Amino acid sequence: MALNIKPLSDRVVIEPAAAETKTASGIYIPETAKEKPQKGTVVAVGKGNKDHDMTVKVGDEVLYGKYAGTELKLEGKDYLIMREDDILAIV
Amino acid sequence: MALNIKPLSDRVVIEPAAAETKTASGIYIPETAKEKPQKGTVVAVGKGNKDHDMTVKVGDEVLYGKYAGTELKLEGKDYLIMREDDILAIV
Amino acid sequence: MALNIKPLSDRVVIEPAAAETKTASGIYIPETAKEKPQKGTVVAVGKGNKDHDMTVKVGDEVLYGKYAGTELKLEGKDYLIMREDDILAIV
Amino acid sequence: MALNIKPLSDRVVIEPAAAETKTASGIYIPETAKEKPQKGTVVAVGKGNKDHDMTVKVGDEVLYGKYAGTELKLEGKDYLIMREDDILAIV
Amino acid sequence: MALNIKPLSDRVVIEPAAAETKTASGIYIPETAKEKPQKGTVVAVGKGNKDHDMTVKVGDEVLYGKYAGTELKLEGKDYLIMREDDILAIV
Amino acid sequence: MALNIKPLSDRVVIEPAAAETKTASGIYIPETAKEKPQKGTVVAVGKGNKDHDMTVKVGDEVLYGKYAGTELKLEGKDYLIMREDDILAIV
Amino acid sequence: MALNIKPLSDRVVIEPAAAETKTASGIYIPETAKEKPQKGTVVAVGKGNKDHDMTVKVGDEVLYGKYAGTELKLEGKDYLIMREDDILAIV
């Protein structure tokens, strides 16, 4: 189900993964990040801007810096909105 | 009714939503933002500049950072004027 | 009567409005700005530069940030000279 | 009489006006600037650079920021050398 | 065996070398870096961006600044993810 | 006699003038600069770079900021090496 | 003998000269730099990047700022790796 949100410019909305989750490829998030996961799923992607073409797509599992983004509550759930450049990698 | 204000450059005038409002798409603003809402409606849009083409339109409901913009009183009501890049997303 | 001053580059000379003025469009300046008005009339406009084409014209009523510009006394009256980018909007 | 000095790049040499001078157009410099005038006459102009074409000419009377430029003694007189962008306006 | 991770933009994933390792070419890492090695092997490389074409390849042994990058645990092992510009040299 | 030094990029090597020197054009350096003169002769010039074409030539007498450049001893004499943009004017 | 190291981007590896060395052209390094020489020989050069074409070559004797670069031990000897722009001049 798509969220009714259109991030502006080079921004991306991410649904943070629950702590201690293990992905199919066996990637663990570091233990010190349990309270605030650094892994999540992209749920909305902006159109980019003159300086930045977007790389991630909705559904991508991504790693991001511990303090990246702004918290957002959408339909009762917590999300993060951040610039794509704050995303470290697709996993 | 259109406001008699023309924001310069990449600026946008926003009418902040009343706190605790629930939108059609069911988006709540975070409870910690009750005193100063982070959601609002675009009421005026600048023409952009050489580095920035405008994306939002009058009437768009937008989310913006808690400390974004400058307060402005127009015709007895409170508004915010900010650069479009301070807007996080259209909802 | 035009002032005998040519602002350089992207600068604009503004005659600050008297405090508590109400414009034709009913715009009030915020009460906290009574001592130092944030509204004024453009009295001279520079030619812009390579990075900035000018938007405002002499006679435009404009809003500007509370601490924008440098004070200037011309023919016994107080003016402000600021870069056009410090002007928030034309009202 | 031209000074034997060629300012580099976008620099300008200015002869500061004596304090409390009143120009033909009736412009006074602010009283608080008596010790260090903010008005002067351009006596030498650089050739500009890739980012900046020069606007002022030798002989122009200009206003500049109170702390702009570097003091310089040429042939026994005090001058200021500053970047043209520190000049606010031609009066 | 390739890691299931795609670094974004100009980022690179590095497997830090164990401390006190001596390479084929006889390069030692400085003794003061024993706790946190400054040498490692590239295990994943981003696609670069508009401002940066990538130089290193998977398998390259590289030297990097002591405080470069963000720690990451992938499949139970510790890695670093950093921008390629934080890599000093290929050895 | 040319010095055996090639300044890199937009750098210039300057031989500082002895304090209290009076040039042919009658320019004095300010008295407060006696310990560290702000006037000197260009003895070597770099080739410039993508952003900066060189203006000064070997032999030019120049004025420079009091704290500009790095001190250098060449063949027993003191010189300064600085970026050309730290030179204020040719005198 | 060439070192087995390829500096990335606009970086250069330098072998610092022993303190108090006098070059063929008679250049002394300043006495205050005895502990940490500011003169050295280029032993490896990067390929440059989009903003910077390389000027120095392996074998060039160069002067560099006292605090430039990162120390590196290669094959038991101390080197410095720095950006070419930290090199002041070829001597």
Side-chain angles (χ1 to χ4, degrees), chain D residues 1 3 5 9 14 19 23 27 32 34 37 41 45 48 56-58 66 76 81 86 88:
Chain D
M1 183 208 74
L3 275 179
I5 184 167
S9 188
I14 289 172
T23 70
I27 294 171
T32 56
K34 272 176 193 168
T41 306
V45 180
V56 300
K57 302 181 307 296
V58 169
K66 202 168 182 171
I81 185 161
D86 291 328
L88 300 171

Side-chain angles (χ1 to χ4, degrees), chain D:
Chain D
M1 183 208 74
L3 275 179
N4 188 16
I5 184 167
K6 280 179 274 182
L8 244 67
S9 188
D10 56 348
R11 289 188 180 84
V12 172
V13 179
I14 289 172
E15 181 181 348
E20 295 169 302
T21 302
K22 188 175 174 300
T23 70
S25 62
I27 294 171
Y28 287 93
I29 49 170
E31 291 184 335
T32 56
K34 272 176 193 168
E35 293 87 80
K36 196 172 182 180
Q38 290 174 280
K39 193 162 156 291
T41 306
V42 175
V43 295
V45 180
K47 292 188 171 175
N49 58 36
K50 287 179 180 171
D51 297 317
H52 189 93
D53 297 327
M54 303 305 282
T55 300
V56 300
K57 302 181 307 296
V58 169
D60 280 348
E61 286 192 74
V62 294
L63 300 176
Y64 50 87
K66 202 168 182 171
Y67 303 106
T70 300
E71 295 182 8
L72 209 66
K73 198 176 273 261
L74 301 171
E75 302 175 21
K77 282 172 68 179
D78 289 318
Y79 294 91
L80 283 170
I81 185 161
M82 64 183 70
R83 295 185 180 276
E84 189 184 74
D85 199 49
D86 291 328
I87 299 179
L88 300 171
I90 303 171
V91 289

Side-chain angles (χ1 to χ4, degrees), chain B residues 3-4 7-8 11 13 32 35-36 39 44 48 57 65 87 89 91:
Chain B
L3 274 179
N4 189 15
L8 243 68
R11 289 188 180 84
V13 179
T32 56
E35 294 88 79
K36 195 171 183 183
K39 192 164 156 290
K57 301 180 307 296
I87 298 179
V91 289

Side-chain angles (χ1 to χ4, degrees), chain C:
Chain C
M1 183 208 73
L3 275 178
N4 189 16
I5 185 167
K6 279 179 273 182
L8 243 67
S9 187
D10 56 347
R11 289 188 180 84
V12 172
V13 179
I14 289 171
E15 180 180 348
E20 295 168 302
T21 301
K22 188 175 175 297
T23 70
S25 63
I27 294 171
Y28 287 93
I29 49 170
E31 291 184 335
T32 56
K34 272 176 193 170
E35 294 89 80
K36 195 171 183 182
Q38 291 175 280
K39 192 162 157 291
T41 306
V42 175
V43 295
V45 180
K47 292 188 171 173
N49 58 36
K50 286 179 181 171
D51 296 319
H52 190 93
D53 297 327
M54 303 305 281
T55 300
V56 300
K57 301 180 308 296
V58 170
D60 280 348
E61 287 191 72
V62 295
L63 300 176
Y64 51 88
K66 202 168 182 171
Y67 303 106
T70 300
E71 295 183 8
L72 208 67
K73 198 177 273 260
L74 301 171
E75 302 175 20
K77 282 172 68 180
D78 289 319
Y79 295 91
L80 283 170
I81 184 162
M82 64 182 70
R83 294 184 180 277
E84 190 184 73
D85 200 48
D86 291 328
I87 298 179
L88 300 170
I90 303 171
V91 289

Side-chain angles (χ1 to χ4, degrees), chain A residues 7 11 13-14 16 32 35 39 46 54 62 67 80 85 88-89:
Chain A
R11 289 188 180 84
V13 179
I14 289 172
T32 56
E35 293 87 80
K39 192 163 157 290
M54 303 306 282
V62 294
Y67 303 105
L80 282 170
D85 199 48
L88 301 170

Side-chain angles (χ1 to χ4, degrees), chain F residues 1-70:
Chain F
M1 184 208 72
L3 275 179
N4 189 15
I5 184 168
K6 281 179 275 181
L8 244 66
S9 187
D10 56 348
R11 289 188 179 84
V12 172
V13 179
I14 289 171
E15 182 181 348
E20 296 169 303
T21 301
K22 187 174 174 301
T23 69
S25 63
I27 295 171
Y28 287 93
I29 48 171
E31 290 184 335
T32 56
K34 272 176 192 168
E35 294 87 80
K36 195 173 182 180
Q38 291 173 279
K39 192 163 156 290
T41 306
V42 175
V43 295
V45 181
K47 293 188 171 174
N49 57 35
K50 288 178 180 171
D51 296 318
H52 189 93
D53 296 328
M54 303 306 281
T55 300
V56 300
K57 302 179 308 296
V58 170
D60 281 348
E61 286 192 72
V62 295
L63 299 177
Y64 51 87
K66 203 168 182 171
Y67 303 106
T70 300

Side-chain angles (χ1 to χ4, degrees), chain E residues 67-80:
Chain E
Y67 303 106
T70 301
E71 295 183 7
L72 209 65
K73 198 176 273 259
L74 300 171
E75 301 174 22
K77 284 172 67 179
D78 289 320
Y79 295 91
L80 282 170

